[in-house]
Amino acid sequence: MAIDPKYKRQKTGAGELRTPVFFYEYVPADGPEPGDEEQKSLYEAMAEVYNPSMKDWELLNTKNTKRAVTINIRDPLLDYQPTNKHVVELDDIHFAGIRWNVIDVQPSPRDSRLIKIILGVTS
């Protein structure tokens, strides 16, 4: 059986999804102090993390973003849908202690089984 000459290998596979990511939502705390918030864990996944493209930076500049990354995760379908109200934490030494805001969520242009999430730290 011959390999189809039109076949193109996927660029993102299981080997590239190597950074654990955690999605949170902030909910108001029960205490009397205003502004105190606690987090509610929503979803965990493995992600491919890379620098934003120039097209992503155009979107990020409108949000007054200081620092940004783009991640790809497997599409969780109905289990979880990320929104711009969620916060992401990357379990990587280079991003330790940084809480990223979800700026935009798009289907991945390279693979329909993934979703692309643009994360940023806004001022």
Side-chain angles (χ1 to χ4, degrees), residues 8-63:
K8 293 190 180 176
R9 184 168 99 56
Q10 289 141 9
K11 295 183 180 186
T12 301
E16 285 80 25
L17 302 175
R18 61 184 121 209
T19 304
V21 294
F22 304 94
F23 293 85
Y24 298 103
E25 179 178 43
Y26 282 115
V27 293
D30 293 333
E33 306 248 346
D36 283 348
E37 297 177 340
E38 55 190 41
Q39 61 195 5
K40 176 182 166 189
S41 179
L42 298 172
Y43 189 71
E44 297 176 15
M46 299 298 285
E48 173 189 25
V49 181
Y50 58 96
N51 290 327
S53 67
M54 290 305 291
K55 191 187 311 183
D56 295 343
W57 272 111
E58 289 177 20
L59 176 68
L60 291 164
N61 285 336
T62 63
K63 305 284 186 184

Side-chain angles (χ1 to χ4, degrees), residues 23 69-73 82 102 104-105 115-119:
F23 293 85
V69 295
T70 301
I71 64 172
N72 281 331
I73 64 169
V102 174
D104 192 36
V105 180
I115 57 174
K116 172 180 154 183
I117 304 171
I118 302 171
L119 305 175

